Amino acid sequence: MIRGNLIRPLAALTNEDLYLSGYGTIPSIRRYIPEFQAASNWFGIFIPRGVPAEVITTITRVWEQTVTNSADVRDFINGRGMMFSPTSGDIAQQRAFEFYQVVGWVLYDNGLAAVRPDTVGIPRP
């Protein structure tokens, strides 16, 4: 709808300006509300416990050498109004925890979670 000029984006709920291929740059909400902290929205590949170490090593190597450097993946993501910021390992774990930490407490504070997050090792951010 943006590319078809049916709607005009005023700001992206991101911490940085967002580039949308076929349209251009959409300013970050932080241009107008500097203290705003946008929540990350991401997807990931999760591997269950017990998978052999060589499988994890291979997946990590492919992710770091191929996916993070792929112009096709970057263009696909940018073409859909998303930000391309691939990570893996400890950094990805930390980002995921920070996201779910906020979500867990928002759900609990609004009566939508039966268990206090800190009782399962998730401190209040």
Side-chain angles (χ1 to χ4, degrees):
M1 292 180 76
I2 293 170
R3 289 185 192 108
N5 293 318
L6 298 173
I7 60 173
R8 184 176 138 225
L10 301 176
L13 293 178
T14 57
N15 290 325
E16 301 171 14
D17 292 349
L18 177 67
Y19 177 77
L20 178 62
S21 64
Y23 175 77
T25 301
I26 301 168
S28 165
I29 187 94
R30 294 185 71 171
R31 285 193 186 187
Y32 312 105
I33 307 171
E35 66 276 6
F36 187 90
Q37 286 296 315
S40 297
N41 188 2
W42 49 270
F43 71 93
I45 298 171
F46 297 89
I47 302 170
R49 285 192 171 115
V51 170
E54 60 269 11
V55 172
I56 294 171
T57 300
T58 300
I59 290 171
T60 301
R61 182 174 34 81
V62 169
W63 182 266
E64 292 174 351
Q65 293 176 359
T66 304
V67 175
T68 62
N69 297 309
S70 171
D72 289 337
V73 172
R74 184 185 59 249
D75 293 346
F76 176 84
I77 289 170
N78 289 341
R80 281 149 185 82
M82 297 182 283
M83 304 202 67
F84 185 58
S85 180
T87 59
S88 63
D90 292 340
I91 294 170
Q93 290 280 355
Q94 181 63 33
R95 285 185 179 177
F97 182 80
E98 290 170 358
F99 175 78
Y100 285 112
Q101 182 180 25
V102 171
V103 170
W105 280 100
V106 166
L107 292 173
Y108 180 78
D109 290 343
N110 287 284
L112 300 171
V115 176
R116 274 183 63 99
D118 57 357
T119 63
V120 291
I122 303 172
R124 188 177 288 276

